[in-house]
Amino acid sequence: MLSKNFKSPFLFATVCGLFSVGAFVHGWNPSATAAEKPPSPKMAENKLPYPATKTVDHVDEYHGEKVKDPYRWLETLDSEETRQWVQAQNKVTFGYLNQIPGRDRVKQRLTELWNYEKFSPPVQEGGRYFYSHNTGLQNQSVVFSLPSLDAQPQLLLDPNTLAKDGTVALAGASVTQDGSLFAYGLSSAGSDWQEWRVRDVKTGKDLPDVVKWIKFSGVAWTLDKKGFFYGRFDEPKAAGNQLSDVNFFHKLYYHRLGTEQAKDELVYEDKQHKEWQFVPKVTDDGKYLVVTVAKGTDDKYRILYRDLSTLATLAKPAKPGAKFVELIDNFEAEYSFIDNEGPVFFFKTDLAAPKARVIAIDLRKPTEKKEIIAQGQDALQHVSVINKLFVATYLHDAKTQVKVFDLGGKLVREVPLPGMGTAAGFQGKRGQKETFFAYTSYNTPATIYRLDLVTFETKLWKQPQLQFNPQDYETKQVFFPSKDGTKIPMFLTAKKGMQQNGQNPTYLYGYGGFKVPLVPAFSVTDMVWMEHGGMVAYVNLRGGGEYGEEWHRAGTKQQKQNVFDDFIGAAEWLIKNKYTSTPKLSIAGGSNGGLLVGAAITQRPELFGAAIPAVGVMDMLRFHKFTIGWEWIDDYGSSDNPQEYKALRAYSPYHNIKPGVAYPATMVTTADHDDRVVPGHSYKFAARLQAAQKGNAPVMIRIDVRAGHGAGKPTSKRIDEATDRLAFLGKVLGVDFGK
């Protein structure tokens, strides 16, 4: 589930190195598993002894309709009663998982395969290179800097020293243009809340500066490196509510180095619009502060700018004309700032171009929008200016293509990639002559390349050493018709020579929301699944960003059912074409993908053999009542709106569980520190599903502790979670991991 967190280029590169490219692009790490279904001989067991879960007579009224919410009390996350329920559920869940034959072998193999070096693409600042590196099984990747590519790396930050259990993670970073100061944000136990500090690159020591309560904002250094801009919310008023309280009234501040946060200057706020969030960017020439104003999750922004060169102080402009100027004064379209040439600003926009294009706006003629790179046949994803060239990445049927244009918009050349996969990175500045990118696919972990933007030669920089042969596996892309005839793409990956006999254990994964494309990425868990004869299927549903804004819109609000139809259509196509069968078909998804799985099993319970909905949005009538959930109204609509309520009520997973129905074997997963999709969603869904379940197919909930929505989760916890997912699927679907 994404929020408008405009990550710094270094953070983007860091995340690629930590969790593979796919983790960042999806907004949720799909290092999940794969599986099959309950009606197998293995399922002839006694029903699990679920903890007794009380019900309450709570009723809400929506537009004249009364809706029961018998598990409302589970939304109170810190009550003693809820804590006891969590402990009781985990006791049942882990009691079940720990006795599964072959579980130890699963963990052993996951650990073996996970133990390979992981690098992020380097980012250059002030002639130094910054990147992250994980030796294999470190809980968190370590940040290094280099004075040159052939020099000895200098340790800059090791998050593994900050918590014994590895649950303090790097959540953001920004380096001054001269490469001397490194600002970094930390999150604890998976929370979205961040605390930022500043480290001297040369000495490796921290300055006294500490900035707290940052969420959904990076920091932007001024060129003189005297301070930085950042966005934050007010500190929660009540202790203990920071993981569930709704977040409104974002504010933009300037922190001057050497001062306490209490003295930071309030640069911008809007007391009339509680939903607006402010993301700062200082142009590379240091002259302008560009503020992207976002509300919700739609890629529709306002743009403000301020001429920093005319300011006596940040709080008090030297003259009236030095205040913020509204360059784009409405939320009509996406305007993602790329770079500037003096007063000429370049933006990626979908204004009159649902697949996006590049335009220029001259601040001296702000109403004119000059097209530089026209909309193409494929969806434009990202644009950088490096060596006075536009480096642009596109998605062609969910696969990356890279094109280079001159500043006039003329195509210079395409950059070849190793195969059918995903490339990300391509950060840099117009004065630099090189950039780096990570390439990954379903059978290839992230490999780092250097691209020379003079000769356009691509060279390998870092390649992981693997304990499997990628050539033993193959990926093919298929297209199938959804319920309304729309052509939907899907990637299928398995060992070469797999037979279409209907007996292949299959793991079907989807997301379908928030314009987030589901692109090829390597997963250790998928690899273990495929080693034991399984197939993984990743389907590109409407609601995502694979084909631009129109594709996204086709899976939102009253059209959200299209997403579930696409997913169900994928399952039916796999069965019809004898890749698998219902007893051998599992489905999974995280966050918005957890909603997807919840809707799928409540609409078509007989179609699937097993389901793993992770950190899902399950109560579609109340999601906007917690933390940042109100942002998702852009995609989902709101139960406050009569027409949107009708659509939400029709598919809300929690509200569509029916007593006496045989649901597939299900393991719900969530975490006690998830302040993105609060765990109350999963608690309520699991409790109701357990009460409704007919037959012996297990329904359980795995609740991780000191963990959040997924980002920053330590390697040890990722391996434990992956072990339990594979063990669960193997148990209920009859896959023998003991071999």
Side-chain angles (χ1 to χ4, degrees):
M1 181 70 57
L2 292 188
S3 289
K4 287 303 171 199
N5 184 359
F6 294 77
K7 300 177 174 67
S8 69
F10 179 70
L11 175 59
F12 179 85
T14 301
V15 175
C16 287
L18 277 169
F19 309 133
S20 88
V21 178
F24 175 78
V25 179
H26 300 158
W28 147 260
N29 179 24
S31 298
T33 80
E36 323 141 41
K37 162 158 189 166
S40 74
K42 297 266 184 184
M43 292 305 300
E45 301 172 353
N46 295 327
K47 196 169 185 177
L48 283 177
Y50 303 122
T53 304
K54 77 170 186 180
T55 58
V56 295
D57 294 326
H58 188 99
V59 177
D60 292 310
E61 185 170 327
Y62 297 91
H63 313 292
E65 182 179 359
K66 293 184 177 180
V67 179
K68 294 181 179 180
D69 190 354
Y71 300 100
R72 175 67 64 86
W73 64 275
L74 285 169
E75 291 181 359
T76 309
L77 304 179
D78 288 326
S79 72
E80 182 60 30
E81 196 172 25
T82 301
R83 283 196 289 266
Q84 290 179 1
W85 182 87
V86 167
Q87 292 172 0
Q89 289 286 347
N90 269 347
K91 184 177 180 180
V92 170
T93 298
F94 288 107
Y96 178 91
L97 295 171
N98 290 339
Q99 55 77 42
I100 295 175
R103 182 179 180 278
D104 290 343
R105 173 62 187 136
V106 170
K107 185 171 184 177
Q108 178 185 348
R109 185 56 177 156
L110 282 168
T111 304
E112 289 172 353
L113 290 182
W114 220 293
N115 192 15
Y116 67 90
E117 285 189 294
K118 305 165 187 70
F119 293 86
S120 72
V123 174
Q124 187 183 162
E125 293 287 1
R128 295 189 70 89
Y129 297 88
F130 298 82
Y131 69 97
S132 69
H133 173 234
N134 193 306
T135 56
L137 296 175
Q138 289 175 289
N139 275 323
Q140 304 291 341
S141 288
V142 179
V143 181
F144 291 91
S145 72
L146 287 166
S148 64
L149 289 179
D150 56 358
Q152 189 69 22
Q154 173 188 332
L155 173 65
L156 186 56
L157 176 68
D158 184 356
N160 299 290
T161 64
L162 303 178
K164 289 183 179 180
D165 61 359
T167 57
V168 172
L170 179 66
S174 181
V175 184
T176 55
Q177 278 203 39
D178 67 354
S180 66
L181 295 175
F182 173 73
Y184 63 96
L186 301 174
S187 69
S188 180
S191 172
D192 281 333
W193 290 113
Q194 299 172 14
E195 179 177 299
W196 281 69
R197 299 176 181 270
V198 178
R199 181 159 293 189
D200 184 298
V201 173
K202 184 177 180 179
T203 66
K205 297 185 181 300
D206 280 348
L207 305 184
D209 303 77
V210 179
V211 180
K212 299 181 179 181
W213 303 112
I214 294 181
K215 183 184 280 194
F216 309 134
S217 172
V219 306
W221 286 98
T222 51
L223 190 59
D224 61 12
K225 65 180 183 179
K226 291 182 179 179
F228 53 77
F229 300 94
Y230 67 96
R232 60 162 290 185
F233 293 100
D234 290 336
E235 181 177 352
K237 294 180 180 179
N241 290 345
Q242 61 264 36
L243 297 181
S244 58
D245 277 355
V246 67
N247 302 136
F248 286 127
F249 294 110
H250 204 238
K251 297 179 177 66
L252 189 66
Y253 283 88
Y254 175 75
H255 175 73
R256 192 177 299 276
L257 289 186
T259 63
E260 297 179 357
Q261 186 176 12
K263 296 180 180 179
D264 287 355
E265 299 177 61
L266 178 62
V267 176
Y268 194 84
E269 67 174 334
D270 193 311
K271 295 181 179 180
Q272 304 302 313
H273 300 94
K274 64 182 181 181
E275 302 93 350
W276 289 12
Q277 295 178 30
F278 311 105
V279 181
K281 162 71 178 176
V282 175
T283 55
D284 289 345
D285 58 14
K287 186 175 182 180
Y288 299 100
L289 169 63
V290 181
V291 179
T292 300
V293 185
K295 63 169 184 176
T297 56
D298 265 358
D299 290 335
K300 296 183 184 299
Y301 312 131
R302 299 167 74 99
I303 300 293
L304 314 176
Y305 74 89
R306 193 168 182 173
D307 189 338
L308 297 179
S309 66
T310 61
L311 298 182
T313 70
L314 289 166
K316 297 178 181 179
K319 55 185 180 180
K323 293 183 178 180
F324 278 103
V325 177
E326 289 190 331
L327 182 61
I328 304 297
D329 63 0
N330 59 71
F331 294 101
E332 64 179 354
E334 174 190 359
Y335 288 91
S336 294
F337 180 78
I338 300 170
D339 195 13
N340 69 302
E341 276 191 323
V344 179
F345 283 16
F346 298 108
F347 293 94
K348 170 179 171 278
T349 184
D350 59 8
L351 179 69
K355 292 185 178 179
R357 58 182 176 144
V358 175
I359 63 169
I361 302 178
D362 191 325
L363 303 185
R364 297 162 297 190
K365 303 175 183 178
T367 59
E368 298 180 11
K369 299 177 176 66
K370 179 182 177 182
E371 182 171 273
I372 305 298
I373 301 176
Q375 174 181 233
Q377 304 243 329
D378 298 315
L380 177 61
Q381 297 294 297
H382 178 262
V383 186
S384 296
V385 174
I386 312 168
N387 194 31
K388 298 181 181 180
L389 296 166
F390 288 113
V391 181
T393 59
Y394 291 83
L395 283 184
H396 177 73
D397 291 331
K399 307 176 292 289
T400 301
Q401 287 188 338
V402 184
K403 298 181 181 180
V404 179
F405 301 84
D406 65 23
L407 292 184
K410 179 182 177 182
L411 178 65
V412 176
R413 68 177 60 210
E414 293 190 23
V415 178
L417 295 175
M420 186 168 60
T422 302
F426 303 104
Q427 302 294 338
K429 291 182 169 60
R430 64 176 50 224
Q432 298 170 355
K433 299 185 184 303
E434 64 182 353
T435 188
F436 296 81
F437 65 93
Y439 172 82
T440 184
S441 68
Y442 290 115
N443 64 343
T444 307
T447 303
I448 313 302
Y449 293 88
R450 176 185 178 272
L451 173 61
D452 188 315
L453 286 168
V454 177
T455 65
F456 297 99
E457 182 181 9
T458 299
K459 284 188 176 180
L460 180 68
W461 186 63
K462 296 291 183 182
Q463 184 173 31
Q465 300 300 309
L466 308 174
Q467 298 187 50
F468 70 95
N469 182 7
Q471 301 305 316
D472 291 343
Y473 302 87
E474 62 182 352
T475 297
K476 64 179 177 179
Q477 189 175 36
V478 300
F479 295 84
F480 66 89
S482 188
K483 184 177 181 179
D484 63 359
T486 301
K487 186 173 68 171
I488 309 296
M490 179 165 54
F491 293 99
L492 307 179
T493 307
K495 278 186 177 180
K496 290 180 178 178
M498 185 189 69
Q499 301 298 308
Q500 288 179 234
N501 57 11
Q503 297 303 307
N504 301 300
T506 298
Y507 174 75
L508 174 62
Y509 185 94
Y511 187 79
F514 299 93
K515 205 176 178 180
V516 176
L518 189 61
V519 294
F522 179 74
S523 161
V524 171
T525 320
D526 287 354
M527 187 56 58
V528 174
W529 180 249
M530 292 188 293
E531 284 184 335
H532 288 81
M535 181 180 77
V536 294
Y538 284 84
V539 57
N540 300 109
L541 310 169
R542 281 175 284 185
E546 289 85 350
Y547 295 103
E549 181 60 13
E550 290 177 350
W551 186 262
H552 167 228
R553 286 287 159 210
T556 63
K557 294 188 175 180
Q558 281 114 312
Q559 299 186 91
K560 186 67 176 177
Q561 183 59 41
N562 284 337
V563 182
F564 312 136
D565 289 342
D566 294 351
F567 196 56
I568 290 168
E572 292 175 333
W573 186 90
L574 289 169
I575 293 170
K576 179 181 178 181
N577 287 274
K578 298 188 182 303
Y579 283 98
T580 191
S581 57
T582 290
K584 292 291 184 180
L585 176 61
S586 69
I587 55 174
S591 195
N592 174 72
L595 158 65
L596 171 72
V597 173
I601 65 173
T602 51
Q603 292 184 18
R604 293 292 303 277
E606 83 292 348
L607 185 59
F608 313 105
I612 302 183
V615 292
V617 190
M618 299 303 193
D619 185 340
M620 299 308 297
L621 306 185
R622 287 179 53 76
F623 67 84
H624 56 304
K625 304 290 186 181
F626 305 98
T627 62
I628 207 66
W630 57 266
E631 280 198 340
W632 314 333
I633 291 173
D634 286 341
D635 246 52
Y636 296 148
S638 169
S639 59
D640 297 334
N641 178 300
Q643 294 304 314
E644 292 171 350
Y645 161 74
K646 186 177 180 181
L648 289 165
R649 178 65 180 83
Y651 71 77
S652 177
Y654 172 63
H655 296 96
N656 283 282
I657 296 170
K658 297 177 176 59
V661 172
Y663 291 100
T666 302
M667 184 169 72
V668 180
T669 66
T670 187
D672 64 350
H673 277 66
D674 190 344
D675 52 358
R676 186 78 61 88
V677 181
V678 293
H681 281 278
S682 294
Y683 295 175
K684 290 165 57 175
F685 179 78
R688 201 167 202 168
L689 196 64
Q690 286 177 347
Q693 178 69 315
K694 176 185 178 182
N696 295 331
V699 172
M700 63 187 69
I701 180 168
R702 184 188 188 278
I703 305 162
D704 209 345
V705 295
R706 283 193 56 76
H709 197 59
K713 184 175 290 188
T715 297
S716 58
K717 281 184 174 289
R718 292 181 181 276
I719 291 175
D720 287 344
E721 184 178 13
T723 298
D724 290 340
R725 291 183 178 192
L726 283 176
F728 171 77
L729 293 172
K731 171 71 172 178
V732 300
L733 304 177
V735 179
D736 186 0
F737 286 108
K739 295 179 180 178

